[in-house]
Amino acid sequence: MFTTPYDVIVVGAGHAGAEAAAAAANMGSKTLLVTMNLQTIGQMSCNPAMGGIAKGQIVREIDALGGYSGIVSDVSAIQFKMLNRSKGPAMWSPRVQSDRMMFAQAWRDRLEQTPNLDFYQDMVQDLLFDGDTVTGVVTSLGLKIYSKTVILTNGTFLNGLIHIGDKNFGGGRAGESASTGLTATLLEKGFESGRMKTGTPPRVDGRSLNFDLMEEQPGDPEPVKFSYSPETKPLTKQRSCHITYTSDEVHDTLRKGFDRSPMFNGAIKSLGPRYCPSIEDKVDRFADKNRHQVFVEPEGWNTVEYYINGFSTSLPEDVQFDALRKVKGFEAVKFFRPGYAIEYDYFPPTQLTHSLQTKLVKGLFFAGQINGTTGYEEAGAQGLMAGINAHRYHKGESDFQLKRSEAYIGVLIDDLITKGTEEPYRMFTSRAEYRTLLRQDNADLRLTPLGYKLGLASEDRLAAVNTKVEHTALLKDFYSKTSVLPEEANPFLEAKNSSPMRQSDKMVKIYSRPGIDLKDMRKLPAVSEFINLHNISQDVQEQVEVQIKYSGYIEKERLNADKLNRLEAVNIPASFDYDILASLSYEAKEKLNKIKPQTISQASRISGIKPSDISVLLVKLGR
């Protein structure tokens, strides 16, 4: 059955594996997706939602490049929200609440419709090598499947261990067995590994909840969507989430189980995600707080199952139950299943290059939680990039990389391979120094032309971007050159407590004022007439608003990015010998030899590398 070698084998079919397989196959590689269970392709292991702060930008970037996470999110969405609307547009982040079963089904449908992609259900236990080059995989049935490249996207399954109170058992997810064998193979090849932990909350029966005692959280009144593709549409109906709170009584009940908690009795030794702590961790670390938010999230359109976001726990199930019954609205709660924690193997990502190929083994790529990240969106982004680069590697083409100034995906990968991570990595807007450039509204402008060149984004997508660019320039030019009379603008200026005009002025000056928005400008007859005449879309109008109001910030960041990119152009040879530079400290030599940065800019971001070290390198390389 497997007599002909594949171009790419993807191991694991979570968010990273699905994006990797789709990208490689769509670019023309003969691809095999191997997973332990074909019924859980694209499974949402934790919360049924996509996007959020900075993560929403990543989903938009995946979509702009030609990946599927945005489309799958749209067709399975039950609620849409644009977070941080009260802040500047660099902070706006789209998020959808998803139907868990529809999400997985949509992923499977997409993959089954992808040419060049085969599927096989089995556990990959070993890898095949020819010296320092990977040549295929070995399954638990003993099958040897050969390939030019292999992408490992094992999620939480590598030697996974599930904890519920003082009970623990092997598993990669509730009801699914762990994956064994690969860690030992990679360690024999000289890789370093570590252990990480993540957790998940109880799932409960919505029929047993009293939603009248909770705060309703509806979706946006005018929802938009993730994908730039016209094949998906915004929601016309939505399901609400709800918020309730813990209390001192809840916290006291939780504390009664701390002596049986694997978090506190030493059973769990690995680090969990700092920004998504368990409820027992929150109660212990923030003892001064008498309540914490609990988000009650529906799992789909037609199910009574609810996900209790903010109540992640590995306490004994009886303690979980007793404590949750003391939360307002949960007095009669019934569990579908308790929460649990899971420990798993990961491989510090400093062992990778920017392409996500390993430094030790040619043709071997890592993506997702195996690299120490957390979150569907981060996993999907890495899977997409690994799939692209696995295809380009076996074709003998150069790596595809995104700069920190081009995409959150560029920030994510650069952070991982340059700085590494000792705790599950999560993306935030604060990690991106050029976040005003990397907004959720312009991901298509930034990345779709690149996706088209790669062979992922379609001609229709590129044509839509070109139209958006033309219309944006047209509307900006109109605002810059067209004057407005005081009697036209003063009514809405006074309504917004903005100083009235005393003489005619250009529209761009009025638009630049604080508090004046698109709805105000549309009150000017000339604006509405121009927009209707040229059929300018809503997203173009919003794009122009951002570019006008934040032009100073955007230009400042662009100049800073240009300075950084000049250092990105100073390449460091892979064979460069840092030990011959007497002026470098021992720490600098040790870290530079370990990371082996490709450019001066990357070297400057390594923890412990000082400006003086960069000066030494610049002199040696010749300015």
Side-chain angles (χ1 to χ4, degrees), residues 502-566:
R502 302 194 182 281
Q503 61 185 28
S504 176
D505 207 346
K506 300 299 183 189
M507 286 186 178
V508 70
K509 294 278 191 69
I510 305 302
Y511 210 168
S512 299
R513 291 190 185 191
I516 303 304
D517 57 24
L518 177 57
K519 288 182 180 178
D520 296 318
M521 298 304 292
R522 289 293 301 257
K523 293 172 184 176
L524 297 172
V527 173
S528 290
E529 184 180 335
F530 186 87
I531 286 171
N532 294 334
L533 176 65
H534 295 280
N535 195 26
I536 295 175
S537 65
Q538 181 72 17
D539 65 329
V540 167
Q541 296 172 54
E542 292 172 356
Q543 180 69 213
V544 170
E545 179 170 275
V546 171
Q547 290 189 20
I548 287 175
K549 286 188 167 294
Y550 296 89
S551 59
Y553 299 102
I554 292 170
E555 184 58 27
K556 183 179 178 181
E557 281 198 3
R558 204 180 303 282
L559 290 172
N560 287 339
D562 289 343
K563 291 178 184 176
L564 174 79
N565 289 336
R566 285 198 286 273

Side-chain angles (χ1 to χ4, degrees), residues 116-143:
N116 303 313
L117 181 57
D118 293 342
F119 303 84
Y120 194 68
Q121 179 171 295
D122 201 349
M123 181 194 298
V124 171
Q125 287 191 323
D126 205 351
L127 298 173
L128 299 169
F129 303 98
D130 180 5
D132 63 353
T133 300
V134 72
T135 58
V137 302
V138 182
T139 74
S140 62
L141 294 176
L143 290 172

Side-chain angles (χ1 to χ4, degrees), residues 204-205 208-209 308 321 324-325 329-335:
V204 307
D205 189 333
S208 66
L209 303 180
I308 311 307
F321 181 74
L324 202 52
R325 278 217 158 183
F330 282 74
E331 293 81 1
V333 69
K334 294 180 180 179
F335 274 28

Side-chain angles (χ1 to χ4, degrees), residues 45-56:
S45 304
C46 202
N47 64 318
M50 285 290 281
I53 306 302
K55 293 168 174 280

Side-chain angles (χ1 to χ4, degrees), residues 318-340:
D318 59 311
V319 177
Q320 296 183 34
F321 181 74
D322 290 344
L324 202 52
R325 278 217 158 183
K326 293 179 171 63
V327 173
K328 187 178 289 188
F330 282 74
E331 293 81 1
V333 69
K334 294 180 180 179
F335 274 28
F336 274 12
R337 76 171 195 223
Y340 62 87

Side-chain angles (χ1 to χ4, degrees), residues 165-181:
D166 46 15
K167 307 181 185 81
N168 61 69
F169 48 91
R173 189 161 48 206
E176 297 180 60
S177 60
S179 171
T180 58

